[in-house]
Amino acid sequence: MTEHSYTLPGVTGDWEVVMGLEIHAQVVSNAKLFSGAATAFGAAPNSQVSLVDAAMPGMLPVINEHVVEQAVKTGLGLNAKINNWSRFDRKNYFYPDLPQGYQISQFQFPIVGEGAIECERDDGSRFTVRIERLHLEQDAGKSIHDLDPNSTYVDLNRSGVALMEIVSKPDIRSPEEASAYVSKLRTILRYLGTCGGDMEKGQLRADVNVSVCKPGAYEKFRETGDFKHLGTRCEIKNVNSLRFIRQAIEYEAQRQIDIIEEGGKVDQETRLFDANTGVTRSMRSKEEAHDYRYFPD
């Protein structure tokens, strides 16, 4: 174990936590990724939706050059490789608030490659988180479930808004490090002017991948690069505050430990964090890349 290891006690001994984060950062831009529709927060529902955003037949997307510039600027701020050639892909899945039936994203050829940022713990010690990639993609709309007991309402104002998805390596080892990483990343984005970083407005959202393992397993993973040394990971989707990130990790790590020590098996799945109860709950089985049927857009 390292000096700053975060361990949780169990019946069979101590456990360690391993995390990688996927940060969805809304790009500062007056227009969406592939349309000229506005992106202002707080507008009346469905008042900022172009024919492209609503996926009307025959509509053709046109890339927003400013968004590309913002992604490159962010990549430079992350000490990352800027790829001279990148490609958009269709990521196929169905949600009521995804009118196209697919999301225009990037898969094999992202705009930004590997980088790294240095972060600081509460005690002043530093740690480095490696960045795997930054890619551009469209946001989905928003499903609203609490306006009617029998109906779901859909607001497409966010549909097509430009997002940078910043994916880290599994280098984060504690709830404290996770919040420190998100805080440092948010500071960089705000300084560069590429993302407002207001988590309450949905400008910055974290998907937290959590797994647990026995002490020493992570070091074997870093030596070999083989994920078999780490436990099955679960993704906690769309966590929107630093405090909730810490709470979600603490609960989810303990949940996985309890399952394993009782002889069960952790299912790879996507989970939601309920801020009112402080627990995570199952949302859906975790999709793999082949489930999305990626192909060039």
Side-chain angles (χ1 to χ4, degrees):
M1 294 185 291
T2 64
E3 181 184 349
H4 294 280
S5 288
Y6 169 79
T7 58
L8 291 170
V11 176
T12 61
D14 287 343
W15 293 83
E16 294 184 349
V17 184
V18 181
M19 287 159 286
L21 269 63
E22 301 166 13
I23 304 297
H24 293 84
Q26 180 178 331
V27 180
V28 171
S29 172
N30 292 327
K32 296 182 180 181
L33 181 54
F34 292 112
S35 83
T39 60
F41 178 79
N46 296 308
S47 63
Q48 299 181 158
V49 187
S50 75
L51 295 175
V52 173
D53 307 323
M56 292 293 107
M59 294 298 103
L60 296 176
V62 177
I63 187 74
N64 181 339
E65 183 177 348
H66 177 66
V67 169
V68 175
E69 293 171 351
Q70 292 282 66
V72 171
K73 184 189 293 185
T74 301
L76 294 172
L78 301 177
N79 300 307
K81 177 186 177 184
I82 309 300
N83 294 320
N84 291 327
W85 189 89
S86 64
R87 185 182 77 192
F88 284 98
D89 299 276
R90 289 190 184 184
K91 183 180 181 180
N92 297 275
Y93 61 97
F94 174 79
Y95 281 154
D97 52 21
L98 190 72
Q100 294 168 157
Y102 59 86
Q103 178 189 44
I104 302 179
S105 182
Q106 295 187 302
F107 180 46
Q108 286 183 299
F109 304 101
I111 190 167
V112 175
E114 293 188 348
I117 62 173
E118 188 177 60
C119 308
E120 188 173 308
R121 301 182 185 90
D122 292 341
D123 64 3
S125 61
R126 297 181 179 274
F127 65 101
T128 298
V129 177
R130 295 170 297 162
I131 304 298
E132 184 173 307
R133 58 189 280 142
L134 178 155
H135 64 261
L136 286 169
E137 64 183 20
Q138 298 172 302
D139 203 353
K142 183 178 181 180
S143 293
I144 303 165
H145 306 289
D146 56 2
L147 294 180
D148 188 300
N150 302 309
S151 302
T152 293
Y153 288 74
V154 175
D155 179 4
L156 294 181
N157 278 352
R158 290 193 65 90
S159 178
V161 166
L163 300 178
M164 297 178 288
E165 181 170 345
I166 302 166
V167 182
S168 84
K169 301 276 190 180
D171 290 346
I172 299 165
R173 307 301 313 284
S174 72
E176 177 197 352
E177 288 188 359
S179 62
Y181 165 70
V182 175
S183 180
K184 179 62 177 288
L185 183 58
R186 182 173 62 178
T187 298
I188 293 171
L189 297 175
R190 283 174 166 170
Y191 180 83
L192 293 171
T194 59
C195 174
D198 191 330
M199 300 182 81
E200 291 185 358
K201 295 180 179 178
Q203 294 173 351
L204 194 76
R205 313 192 295 268
D207 295 346
V208 187
N209 291 281
V210 179
S211 65
V212 296
C213 60
K214 284 295 187 178
Y218 179 75
E219 285 70 21
K220 291 180 181 177
F221 160 72
R222 289 299 298 264
E223 291 172 6
T224 65
D226 193 335
F227 282 89
K228 73 179 182 182
H229 295 295
L230 306 181
T232 301
R233 74 184 189 277
C234 291
E235 179 184 43
I236 310 169
K237 198 77 174 171
N238 288 334
V239 190
N240 64 354
S241 87
L242 299 180
R243 180 165 61 92
F244 292 162
I245 287 172
R246 292 192 295 270
Q247 290 177 350
I249 292 167
E250 290 169 358
Y251 175 85
E252 178 60 23
Q254 190 61 57
R255 185 190 73 87
Q256 293 183 22
I257 291 168
D258 291 344
I259 290 173
I260 297 169
E261 293 200 321
E262 291 170 4
K265 179 177 177 292
V266 175
D267 294 324
Q268 185 172 334
E269 61 182 352
T270 299
R271 300 179 67 84
L272 292 176
F273 176 68
D274 187 329
N276 294 319
T277 61
V279 306
T280 65
R281 51 187 174 84
S282 182
M283 179 182 176
R284 61 177 183 267
S285 61
K286 174 66 176 170
E287 295 91 345
E288 301 292 348
H290 62 264
D291 294 319
Y292 291 119
R293 300 295 191 269
Y294 282 99
F295 59 84
D297 186 272

